[in-house]
Amino acid sequence: MSTTFWIIIAGAIATYLTRIGGHLVISRFENIHPRVEAGLNAVPAAVLTTLVAPELLNAGPAEWAALVVTAVVSLRGGLMAMFLAGAAVLIVARQFVE
Amino acid sequence: MSAETLTENSLASDFWQGVRLSMPVVVASAPFAVLFGALAVDNGFSVLEAFLMSALIYGGASQMVGIQLFGQHVAPWLIVLSIFAVNFRHVLYSAGIGRRIAHWPVIQQALGYFILTDPQFAVAEARANTGQTVGFAWYLGLGLPVYIFWVIESALGAVFGKLIPDTHALGIDFLLPIYFLGLVLGFRKRPLWLPVVLASAAASIVAYKTVGSPWHVSIGAIAGVLLAVILPPHHSGVETRP
């Protein structure tokens, strides 16, 4: 079996642990400490930010324009609208920039 | 009509009520499933691997993170850790939903936790908040269509993603950062969002420049989470919630 296959299996087990873990562990405590809850709340934004921020270093005008438009559309639209707007700007800008 | 057929009828109607509620989620997640399949193949996955990842992990953002890191030839354990970190919010969902489904047989609970995604939690919790019971048939009706469509559409995206000729002109190499930025912005109403994002962004860029990839992911994430833990709890607003 390939490495990819084992990454998928391990990722699946890790994910199932998160889906059952809160029930098995956290539900045994009466209260979650506010700081722990604040930390847990921060996890998704913290992780996902690290996948965007360093990309800015290698990005050019086309990529920057796409990210700015995504951010602006986010003020009104949902995830799909943001994504489509950003992708559209990227595709159009790349035809001119490169 | 016997009592048995009555129960069967109400189970079937519960199931179909769940299916109706699942439709917006099926429609909204379809483009991301297709995108995942296409990007997975673009990052070196086979169609079967893309299909397996959707079928076994079944968590959109974490699957995208997995293939993004896979394309950068990051160490396998770090890819798994990143998938775990992105899905870690499910700990809170399972802690919350546990109270609602504790009356199910254990096998049904085990399956119920497997299909526990963001919208599954939100819709089930909304039903529980109105005082209605969260039954297995209803919950399965809500979750099963989303799962089935997610897996099929991922495979379709993987098959047809192979046919795309010029991935750079179509911007496919930069779609994931746009998608991730969209997800980050989607969390913006959370307490401490801006300080966490700024801390993670700064730490990940510095780590990327100094320590190098893939450590910028762990270092940046830890910086953001630590900041949320260290700041006084009244800033985070968690204790003001009901």
Side-chain angles (χ1 to χ4, degrees), chain B residues 6-19:
Chain B
L6 252 181
T7 319
E8 274 176 28
N9 280 344
S10 85
L11 280 182
S13 105
D14 274 1
F15 178 82
W16 288 109
Q17 196 196 349
V19 170

Side-chain angles (χ1 to χ4, degrees), chain B residues 215-230:
Chain B
W215 297 103
H216 67 280
V217 178
S218 331
I219 293 170
I222 289 167
V225 173
L226 269 185
L227 184 77
V229 172
I230 289 168

